[in-house]
Amino acid sequence: MTEINLANLMSPVAPTWCPGCGNFSILTALKQALIELKLNMEDVVIVFGIGCSGNTADFIKCYGLHGLHGRGMANAIGIKLANHRQKVIMIGGDGDVYGEGLNHLVAACRGNHDVTAVVFNNHRYSLTTGQSSPTSNKGTISKSTPQGLIEDPIGVLSIAVSNGAGFVARAYAGKLKQMVEMIKAGILYEGFSLIDVQQPCPTFNKEQDYAWYQQNVFDLPVDYDPSNQGQALMTLLDKDKLGLGILYQNNARKAYHDEIPQLSEKTLIEQFPKEINLSKAISEFI
Ligand code: SF4
């Protein structure tokens, strides 16, 4: 086993993100969380989607998979069901997870699959030069909406809370320590955890810059009760003021794999018939 530490997570490829991009601090928080949890490299699989966030795949050394646009969650669920002893993390952006992959996100919520999704939410499709995304504000001027976006932003965290996700949190890329704690709590939670990270994109989202976030985020009050689903939904109805912290946590619901009797003693991969040559079977599909 190889312990997770900064040296072992270090990729030979340096991040190519724009100066000032919120992704830098999210990557730092992810690494810090993994180190503080004292996991081994072999215990963790990270699935990356497509987008500026998905490019994180090049900037961290780990076991993982760089999936298709919007399909990272399906990959993550499959990996978890194959070996439910591993911690599975899915990294994607708002366009990837809340747009292209929304159906897979809802499936992850409904099943309470034990996957931690860290969503870099910059309110744009930034890798493809800043088109409006499902979380863009009404009126947003972008290359895809030159006369202003007509739709309202999607209330995706409300969808998660009301469709079975066991853990829903919101963090902000400008608050590193809190982000680390949110990611750690999500990884430790046994069930589906969604951590929406509000991420400034200085290149394609000039409206929601660091100054805007300073005005529009707030820490959830100390008496906030994350087990109260109704309170979480009421808090999420306010799409302008963004509460940071664990919005909802359901400790009573089992994770998907814990509901499958066939997985109670061994993982699926441990039960794979030895007489089948897996490498040969895979090569036939390639
Ligand atoms: Fe970051 Fe935006 Fe640049 Fe992408 S385009 S790297 S999200 S600042």
Side-chain angles (χ1 to χ4, degrees):
M1 288 293 201
T2 309
E3 69 165 344
I4 289 182
N5 57 36
L6 206 49
N8 287 334
L9 291 174
M10 192 62 70
S11 162
V13 182
T16 51
W17 294 314
C18 312
C21 177
N23 291 358
F24 288 99
S25 65
I26 307 176
L27 175 58
T28 301
L30 175 66
K31 288 181 176 178
Q32 187 68 26
L34 291 171
I35 292 166
E36 289 184 18
L37 287 175
K38 300 186 187 308
L39 298 168
N40 291 311
M41 298 292 280
E42 296 83 357
D43 295 333
V44 179
V45 178
I46 307 182
V47 178
F48 303 89
I50 298 296
C52 293
S53 54
N55 288 352
T56 307
D58 293 335
F59 315 140
I60 184 170
K61 204 164 126 195
C62 62
Y63 290 94
L65 172 76
H66 201 167
L68 297 175
H69 200 196
R71 312 300 160 209
M73 195 70 76
N75 299 140
I77 290 171
I79 291 168
K80 185 71 193 185
L81 290 177
N83 184 357
H84 61 265
R85 298 217 177 92
Q86 285 185 309
K87 298 287 187 190
V88 181
I89 299 167
M90 197 262 141
I91 300 289
D94 47 303
D96 187 55
V97 182
Y98 301 158
E100 304 284 339
L102 182 63
N103 52 344
H104 300 300
L105 175 69
V106 173
C109 296
R110 290 177 56 217
N112 202 28
H113 289 275
D114 190 15
V115 168
T116 299
V118 181
V119 180
F120 297 30
N121 184 358
N122 61 19
H123 308 262
R124 295 289 186 277
Y125 281 95
S126 290
L127 189 69
T128 50
T129 66
Q131 293 83 0
S132 294
S133 85
T135 59
S136 298
N137 284 331
K138 183 177 174 66
T140 293
I141 306 283
S142 72
K143 286 179 183 168
S144 60
T145 53
Q147 296 181 323
L149 180 66
I150 293 171
E151 291 101 328
D152 277 331
I154 190 169
V156 71
L157 299 190
S158 305
I159 292 174
V161 169
S162 56
N163 282 279
F167 180 105
V168 178
R170 190 192 276 126
Y172 163 48
K175 296 188 79 166
L176 182 66
K177 196 162 177 287
Q178 185 185 50
M179 211 175 4
V180 173
E181 294 308 317
M182 293 296 102
I183 296 173
K184 277 165 57 184
I187 293 172
L188 290 175
Y189 178 75
E190 293 190 14
F192 182 60
S193 47
L194 172 61
I195 300 151
D196 175 89
V197 184
Q198 296 291 314
Q199 177 236 315
C201 166
T203 303
F204 292 115
N205 187 346
K206 307 284 187 197
E207 294 78 38
Q208 288 156 301
D209 58 8
Y210 287 93
W212 183 91
Y213 277 111
Q214 292 301 50
Q215 296 295 318
N216 289 284
V217 296
F218 68 96
D219 290 336
L220 294 174
V222 284
D223 62 348
Y224 184 90
D225 175 10
S227 70
N228 186 333
Q229 191 178 31
Q231 186 182 22
L233 290 169
M234 288 302 293
T235 303
L236 288 166
L237 277 179
D238 188 345
K239 291 183 184 170
D240 296 324
K241 294 293 176 194
L242 305 171
L244 304 178
I246 300 174
L247 289 148
Y248 180 59
Q249 183 164 348
N250 180 349
N251 290 331
R253 188 171 180 207
K254 284 185 180 176
Y256 188 95
H257 65 267
D258 283 331
E259 303 253 21
I260 302 176
Q262 293 88 341
L263 298 182
S264 62
E265 290 180 18
K266 288 184 175 177
T267 64
L268 200 56
I269 201 74
E270 286 166 338
Q271 299 176 54
F272 196 79
K274 300 239 180 323
E275 62 274 17
I276 295 179
N277 184 330
L278 190 56
S279 301
K280 184 167 175 287
I282 291 173
S283 69
E284 286 173 7
F285 284 98
I286 295 175

mmCIF file with all atom_site columns, all heavy atoms in Angstrom, residues 16-23 52 122 126-127 199-204, ligand 1:
data_model
loop_
_atom_site.group_PDB
_atom_site.id
_atom_site.type_symbol
_atom_site.label_atom_id
_atom_site.label_alt_id
_atom_site.label_comp_id
_atom_site.label_asym_id
_atom_site.label_entity_id
_atom_site.label_seq_id
_atom_site.pdbx_PDB_ins_code
_atom_site.Cartn_x
_atom_site.Cartn_y
_atom_site.Cartn_z
_atom_site.occupancy
_atom_site.B_iso_or_equiv
_atom_site.pdbx_formal_charge
_atom_site.auth_seq_id
_atom_site.auth_comp_id
_atom_site.auth_asym_id
_atom_site.auth_atom_id
_atom_site.pdbx_PDB_model_num
ATOM   1   N  N   . THR A 1 16  ? -2.812  24.058 -16.302 1.00 0.00 ? 16  THR A N   1
ATOM   2   C  CA  . THR A 1 16  ? -2.809  25.018 -17.410 1.00 0.00 ? 16  THR A CA  1
ATOM   3   C  C   . THR A 1 16  ? -3.979  25.995 -17.300 1.00 0.00 ? 16  THR A C   1
ATOM   4   O  O   . THR A 1 16  ? -4.319  26.675 -18.254 1.00 0.00 ? 16  THR A O   1
ATOM   5   C  CB  . THR A 1 16  ? -2.923  24.260 -18.752 1.00 0.00 ? 16  THR A CB  1
ATOM   6   O  OG1 . THR A 1 16  ? -4.034  23.348 -18.667 1.00 0.00 ? 16  THR A OG1 1
ATOM   7   C  CG2 . THR A 1 16  ? -1.661  23.483 -19.064 1.00 0.00 ? 16  THR A CG2 1
ATOM   8   N  N   . TRP A 1 17  ? -4.639  26.015 -16.120 1.00 0.00 ? 17  TRP A N   1
ATOM   9   C  CA  . TRP A 1 17  ? -5.781  26.897 -15.951 1.00 0.00 ? 17  TRP A CA  1
ATOM   10  C  C   . TRP A 1 17  ? -5.351  28.368 -16.031 1.00 0.00 ? 17  TRP A C   1
ATOM   11  O  O   . TRP A 1 17  ? -4.185  28.707 -15.781 1.00 0.00 ? 17  TRP A O   1
ATOM   12  C  CB  . TRP A 1 17  ? -6.438  26.635 -14.589 1.00 0.00 ? 17  TRP A CB  1
ATOM   13  C  CG  . TRP A 1 17  ? -7.063  25.275 -14.479 1.00 0.00 ? 17  TRP A CG  1
ATOM   14  C  CD1 . TRP A 1 17  ? -7.865  24.665 -15.394 1.00 0.00 ? 17  TRP A CD1 1
ATOM   15  C  CD2 . TRP A 1 17  ? -6.941  24.351 -13.380 1.00 0.00 ? 17  TRP A CD2 1
ATOM   16  N  NE1 . TRP A 1 17  ? -8.251  23.426 -14.926 1.00 0.00 ? 17  TRP A NE1 1
ATOM   17  C  CE2 . TRP A 1 17  ? -7.711  23.208 -13.703 1.00 0.00 ? 17  TRP A CE2 1
ATOM   18  C  CE3 . TRP A 1 17  ? -6.275  24.390 -12.150 1.00 0.00 ? 17  TRP A CE3 1
ATOM   19  C  CZ2 . TRP A 1 17  ? -7.818  22.103 -12.855 1.00 0.00 ? 17  TRP A CZ2 1
ATOM   20  C  CZ3 . TRP A 1 17  ? -6.383  23.295 -11.304 1.00 0.00 ? 17  TRP A CZ3 1
ATOM   21  C  CH2 . TRP A 1 17  ? -7.158  22.168 -11.658 1.00 0.00 ? 17  TRP A CH2 1
ATOM   22  N  N   . CYS A 1 18  ? -6.306  29.240 -16.321 1.00 0.00 ? 18  CYS A N   1
ATOM   23  C  CA  . CYS A 1 18  ? -6.023  30.677 -16.427 1.00 0.00 ? 18  CYS A CA  1
ATOM   24  C  C   . CYS A 1 18  ? -5.600  31.237 -15.053 1.00 0.00 ? 18  CYS A C   1
ATOM   25  O  O   . CYS A 1 18  ? -6.061  30.738 -14.018 1.00 0.00 ? 18  CYS A O   1
ATOM   26  C  CB  . CYS A 1 18  ? -7.261  31.444 -16.869 1.00 0.00 ? 18  CYS A CB  1
ATOM   27  S  SG  . CYS A 1 18  ? -8.133  30.760 -18.278 1.00 0.00 ? 18  CYS A SG  1
ATOM   28  N  N   . PRO A 1 19  ? -4.793  32.290 -15.051 1.00 0.00 ? 19  PRO A N   1
ATOM   29  C  CA  . PRO A 1 19  ? -4.465  32.931 -13.772 1.00 0.00 ? 19  PRO A CA  1
ATOM   30  C  C   . PRO A 1 19  ? -5.734  33.381 -13.051 1.00 0.00 ? 19  PRO A C   1
ATOM   31  O  O   . PRO A 1 19  ? -6.655  33.908 -13.676 1.00 0.00 ? 19  PRO A O   1
ATOM   32  C  CB  . PRO A 1 19  ? -3.626  34.151 -14.205 1.00 0.00 ? 19  PRO A CB  1
ATOM   33  C  CG  . PRO A 1 19  ? -3.109  33.797 -15.558 1.00 0.00 ? 19  PRO A CG  1
ATOM   34  C  CD  . PRO A 1 19  ? -4.144  32.915 -16.203 1.00 0.00 ? 19  PRO A CD  1
ATOM   35  N  N   . GLY A 1 20  ? -5.796  33.105 -11.756 1.00 0.00 ? 20  GLY A N   1
ATOM   36  C  CA  . GLY A 1 20  ? -6.951  33.521 -10.956 1.00 0.00 ? 20  GLY A CA  1
ATOM   37  C  C   . GLY A 1 20  ? -8.114  32.554 -10.969 1.00 0.00 ? 20  GLY A C   1
ATOM   38  O  O   . GLY A 1 20  ? -9.125  32.777 -10.300 1.00 0.00 ? 20  GLY A O   1
ATOM   39  N  N   . CYS A 1 21  ? -8.002  31.462 -11.726 1.00 0.00 ? 21  CYS A N   1
ATOM   40  C  CA  . CYS A 1 21  ? -9.091  30.484 -11.804 1.00 0.00 ? 21  CYS A CA  1
ATOM   41  C  C   . CYS A 1 21  ? -9.316  29.827 -10.436 1.00 0.00 ? 21  CYS A C   1
ATOM   42  O  O   . CYS A 1 21  ? -8.361  29.459 -9.748  1.00 0.00 ? 21  CYS A O   1
ATOM   43  C  CB  . CYS A 1 21  ? -8.746  29.419 -12.840 1.00 0.00 ? 21  CYS A CB  1
ATOM   44  S  SG  . CYS A 1 21  ? -9.992  28.121 -12.946 1.00 0.00 ? 21  CYS A SG  1
ATOM   45  N  N   . GLY A 1 22  ? -10.582 29.654 -10.080 1.00 0.00 ? 22  GLY A N   1
ATOM   46  C  CA  . GLY A 1 22  ? -10.907 29.014 -8.804  1.00 0.00 ? 22  GLY A CA  1
ATOM   47  C  C   . GLY A 1 22  ? -10.506 27.545 -8.742  1.00 0.00 ? 22  GLY A C   1
ATOM   48  O  O   . GLY A 1 22  ? -10.460 26.952 -7.658  1.00 0.00 ? 22  GLY A O   1
ATOM   49  N  N   . ASN A 1 23  ? -10.221 26.959 -9.893  1.00 0.00 ? 23  ASN A N   1
ATOM   50  C  CA  . ASN A 1 23  ? -9.866  25.530 -9.906  1.00 0.00 ? 23  ASN A CA  1
ATOM   51  C  C   . ASN A 1 23  ? -8.595  25.236 -9.115  1.00 0.00 ? 23  ASN A C   1
ATOM   52  O  O   . ASN A 1 23  ? -8.442  24.133 -8.575  1.00 0.00 ? 23  ASN A O   1
ATOM   53  C  CB  . ASN A 1 23  ? -9.676  25.038 -11.343 1.00 0.00 ? 23  ASN A CB  1
ATOM   54  C  CG  . ASN A 1 23  ? -10.980 25.002 -12.118 1.00 0.00 ? 23  ASN A CG  1
ATOM   55  O  OD1 . ASN A 1 23  ? -12.026 25.310 -11.567 1.00 0.00 ? 23  ASN A OD1 1
ATOM   56  N  ND2 . ASN A 1 23  ? -10.912 24.653 -13.385 1.00 0.00 ? 23  ASN A ND2 1
ATOM   57  N  N   . CYS A 1 52  ? -13.005 22.316 -18.032 1.00 0.00 ? 52  CYS A N   1
ATOM   58  C  CA  . CYS A 1 52  ? -11.812 22.813 -17.334 1.00 0.00 ? 52  CYS A CA  1
ATOM   59  C  C   . CYS A 1 52  ? -11.616 22.009 -16.057 1.00 0.00 ? 52  CYS A C   1
ATOM   60  O  O   . CYS A 1 52  ? -10.489 21.703 -15.663 1.00 0.00 ? 52  CYS A O   1
ATOM   61  C  CB  . CYS A 1 52  ? -11.957 24.292 -17.016 1.00 0.00 ? 52  CYS A CB  1
ATOM   62  S  SG  . CYS A 1 52  ? -11.961 25.367 -18.470 1.00 0.00 ? 52  CYS A SG  1
ATOM   63  N  N   . ASN A 1 122 ? -18.878 26.960 -12.155 1.00 0.00 ? 122 ASN A N   1
ATOM   64  C  CA  . ASN A 1 122 ? -18.500 28.336 -12.545 1.00 0.00 ? 122 ASN A CA  1
ATOM   65  C  C   . ASN A 1 122 ? -19.580 29.004 -13.390 1.00 0.00 ? 122 ASN A C   1
ATOM   66  O  O   . ASN A 1 122 ? -19.371 30.076 -13.937 1.00 0.00 ? 122 ASN A O   1
ATOM   67  C  CB  . ASN A 1 122 ? -17.145 28.357 -13.256 1.00 0.00 ? 122 ASN A CB  1
ATOM   68  C  CG  . ASN A 1 122 ? -17.140 27.540 -14.531 1.00 0.00 ? 122 ASN A CG  1
ATOM   69  O  OD1 . ASN A 1 122 ? -18.191 27.232 -15.083 1.00 0.00 ? 122 ASN A OD1 1
ATOM   70  N  ND2 . ASN A 1 122 ? -15.960 27.178 -15.004 1.00 0.00 ? 122 ASN A ND2 1
ATOM   71  N  N   . SER A 1 126 ? -16.960 26.591 -19.748 1.00 0.00 ? 126 SER A N   1
ATOM   72  C  CA  . SER A 1 126 ? -15.777 27.430 -19.968 1.00 0.00 ? 126 SER A CA  1
ATOM   73  C  C   . SER A 1 126 ? -14.753 26.804 -20.912 1.00 0.00 ? 126 SER A C   1
ATOM   74  O  O   . SER A 1 126 ? -14.076 27.524 -21.648 1.00 0.00 ? 126 SER A O   1
ATOM   75  C  CB  . SER A 1 126 ? -15.115 27.762 -18.632 1.00 0.00 ? 126 SER A CB  1
ATOM   76  O  OG  . SER A 1 126 ? -15.941 28.650 -17.914 1.00 0.00 ? 126 SER A OG  1
ATOM   77  N  N   . LEU A 1 127 ? -14.645 25.479 -20.909 1.00 0.00 ? 127 LEU A N   1
ATOM   78  C  CA  . LEU A 1 127 ? -13.641 24.861 -21.790 1.00 0.00 ? 127 LEU A CA  1
ATOM   79  C  C   . LEU A 1 127 ? -13.947 25.172 -23.252 1.00 0.00 ? 127 LEU A C   1
ATOM   80  O  O   . LEU A 1 127 ? -13.042 25.302 -24.069 1.00 0.00 ? 127 LEU A O   1
ATOM   81  C  CB  . LEU A 1 127 ? -13.595 23.338 -21.567 1.00 0.00 ? 127 LEU A CB  1
ATOM   82  C  CG  . LEU A 1 127 ? -12.446 22.622 -22.280 1.00 0.00 ? 127 LEU A CG  1
ATOM   83  C  CD1 . LEU A 1 127 ? -11.104 22.990 -21.661 1.00 0.00 ? 127 LEU A CD1 1
ATOM   84  C  CD2 . LEU A 1 127 ? -12.617 21.111 -22.235 1.00 0.00 ? 127 LEU A CD2 1
ATOM   85  N  N   . GLN A 1 199 ? -17.278 28.410 -8.089  1.00 0.00 ? 199 GLN A N   1
ATOM   86  C  CA  . GLN A 1 199 ? -15.921 28.596 -8.605  1.00 0.00 ? 199 GLN A CA  1
ATOM   87  C  C   . GLN A 1 199 ? -15.830 29.786 -9.556  1.00 0.00 ? 199 GLN A C   1
ATOM   88  O  O   . GLN A 1 199 ? -16.415 29.768 -10.637 1.00 0.00 ? 199 GLN A O   1
ATOM   89  C  CB  . GLN A 1 199 ? -15.501 27.313 -9.347  1.00 0.00 ? 199 GLN A CB  1
ATOM   90  C  CG  . GLN A 1 199 ? -14.148 27.384 -9.997  1.00 0.00 ? 199 GLN A CG  1
ATOM   91  C  CD  . GLN A 1 199 ? -14.209 27.092 -11.481 1.00 0.00 ? 199 GLN A CD  1
ATOM   92  O  OE1 . GLN A 1 199 ? -14.854 26.151 -11.904 1.00 0.00 ? 199 GLN A OE1 1
ATOM   93  N  NE2 . GLN A 1 199 ? -13.519 27.902 -12.270 1.00 0.00 ? 199 GLN A NE2 1
ATOM   94  N  N   . PRO A 1 200 ? -15.122 30.836 -9.171  1.00 0.00 ? 200 PRO A N   1
ATOM   95  C  CA  . PRO A 1 200 ? -14.940 31.947 -10.100 1.00 0.00 ? 200 PRO A CA  1
ATOM   96  C  C   . PRO A 1 200 ? -14.177 31.523 -11.364 1.00 0.00 ? 200 PRO A C   1
ATOM   97  O  O   . PRO A 1 200 ? -13.203 30.771 -11.287 1.00 0.00 ? 200 PRO A O   1
ATOM   98  C  CB  . PRO A 1 200 ? -14.115 32.962 -9.288  1.00 0.00 ? 200 PRO A CB  1
ATOM   99  C  CG  . PRO A 1 200 ? -14.384 32.617 -7.857  1.00 0.00 ? 200 PRO A CG  1
ATOM   100 C  CD  . PRO A 1 200 ? -14.544 31.122 -7.847  1.00 0.00 ? 200 PRO A CD  1
ATOM   101 N  N   . CYS A 1 201 ? -14.660 31.984 -12.502 1.00 0.00 ? 201 CYS A N   1
ATOM   102 C  CA  . CYS A 1 201 ? -13.981 31.804 -13.786 1.00 0.00 ? 201 CYS A CA  1
ATOM   103 C  C   . CYS A 1 201 ? -13.706 33.196 -14.322 1.00 0.00 ? 201 CYS A C   1
ATOM   104 O  O   . CYS A 1 201 ? -14.568 33.795 -14.968 1.00 0.00 ? 201 CYS A O   1
ATOM   105 C  CB  . CYS A 1 201 ? -14.875 31.018 -14.752 1.00 0.00 ? 201 CYS A CB  1
ATOM   106 S  SG  . CYS A 1 201 ? -14.326 31.076 -16.474 1.00 0.00 ? 201 CYS A SG  1
ATOM   107 N  N   . PRO A 1 202 ? -12.519 33.755 -14.013 1.00 0.00 ? 202 PRO A N   1
ATOM   108 C  CA  . PRO A 1 202 ? -12.255 35.145 -14.391 1.00 0.00 ? 202 PRO A CA  1
ATOM   109 C  C   . PRO A 1 202 ? -12.247 35.383 -15.893 1.00 0.00 ? 202 PRO A C   1
ATOM   110 O  O   . PRO A 1 202 ? -12.414 36.521 -16.337 1.00 0.00 ? 202 PRO A O   1
ATOM   111 C  CB  . PRO A 1 202 ? -10.862 35.422 -13.799 1.00 0.00 ? 202 PRO A CB  1
ATOM   112 C  CG  . PRO A 1 202 ? -10.481 34.242 -13.002 1.00 0.00 ? 202 PRO A CG  1
ATOM   113 C  CD  . PRO A 1 202 ? -11.425 33.120 -13.281 1.00 0.00 ? 202 PRO A CD  1
ATOM   114 N  N   . THR A 1 203 ? -12.095 34.329 -16.670 1.00 0.00 ? 203 THR A N   1
ATOM   115 C  CA  . THR A 1 203 ? -12.017 34.517 -18.126 1.00 0.00 ? 203 THR A CA  1
ATOM   116 C  C   . THR A 1 203 ? -13.395 34.651 -18.774 1.00 0.00 ? 203 THR A C   1
ATOM   117 O  O   . THR A 1 203 ? -13.612 35.514 -19.619 1.00 0.00 ? 203 THR A O   1
ATOM   118 C  CB  . THR A 1 203 ? -11.241 33.340 -18.761 1.00 0.00 ? 203 THR A CB  1
ATOM   119 O  OG1 . THR A 1 203 ? -9.954  33.272 -18.156 1.00 0.00 ? 203 THR A OG1 1
ATOM   120 C  CG2 . THR A 1 203 ? -11.085 33.514 -20.267 1.00 0.00 ? 203 THR A CG2 1
ATOM   121 N  N   . PHE A 1 204 ? -14.342 33.799 -18.362 1.00 0.00 ? 204 PHE A N   1
ATOM   122 C  CA  . PHE A 1 204 ? -15.633 33.790 -19.060 1.00 0.00 ? 204 PHE A CA  1
ATOM   123 C  C   . PHE A 1 204 ? -16.833 34.144 -18.184 1.00 0.00 ? 204 PHE A C   1
ATOM   124 O  O   . PHE A 1 204 ? -17.954 34.154 -18.675 1.00 0.00 ? 204 PHE A O   1
ATOM   125 C  CB  . PHE A 1 204 ? -15.865 32.424 -19.721 1.00 0.00 ? 204 PHE A CB  1
ATOM   126 C  CG  . PHE A 1 204 ? -14.918 32.154 -20.853 1.00 0.00 ? 204 PHE A CG  1
ATOM   127 C  CD1 . PHE A 1 204 ? -13.984 31.127 -20.770 1.00 0.00 ? 204 PHE A CD1 1
ATOM   128 C  CD2 . PHE A 1 204 ? -14.940 32.940 -21.994 1.00 0.00 ? 204 PHE A CD2 1
ATOM   129 C  CE1 . PHE A 1 204 ? -13.099 30.887 -21.808 1.00 0.00 ? 204 PHE A CE1 1
ATOM   130 C  CE2 . PHE A 1 204 ? -14.050 32.708 -23.041 1.00 0.00 ? 204 PHE A CE2 1
ATOM   131 C  CZ  . PHE A 1 204 ? -13.128 31.675 -22.942 1.00 0.00 ? 204 PHE A CZ  1
HETATM 132 FE FE1 . SF4 B 2 .   ? -10.676 28.495 -15.151 1.00 0.00 ? 1   SF4 B FE1 1
HETATM 133 FE FE2 . SF4 B 2 .   ? -12.441 29.771 -16.645 1.00 0.00 ? 1   SF4 B FE2 1
HETATM 134 FE FE3 . SF4 B 2 .   ? -9.908  29.618 -17.438 1.00 0.00 ? 1   SF4 B FE3 1
HETATM 135 FE FE4 . SF4 B 2 .   ? -11.465 27.451 -17.474 1.00 0.00 ? 1   SF4 B FE4 1
HETATM 136 S  S1  . SF4 B 2 .   ? -11.706 29.295 -18.723 1.00 0.00 ? 1   SF4 B S1  1
HETATM 137 S  S2  . SF4 B 2 .   ? -9.359  27.563 -16.713 1.00 0.00 ? 1   SF4 B S2  1
HETATM 138 S  S3  . SF4 B 2 .   ? -12.733 27.781 -15.646 1.00 0.00 ? 1   SF4 B S3  1
HETATM 139 S  S4  . SF4 B 2 .   ? -10.672 30.684 -15.629 1.00 0.00 ? 1   SF4 B S4  1
#
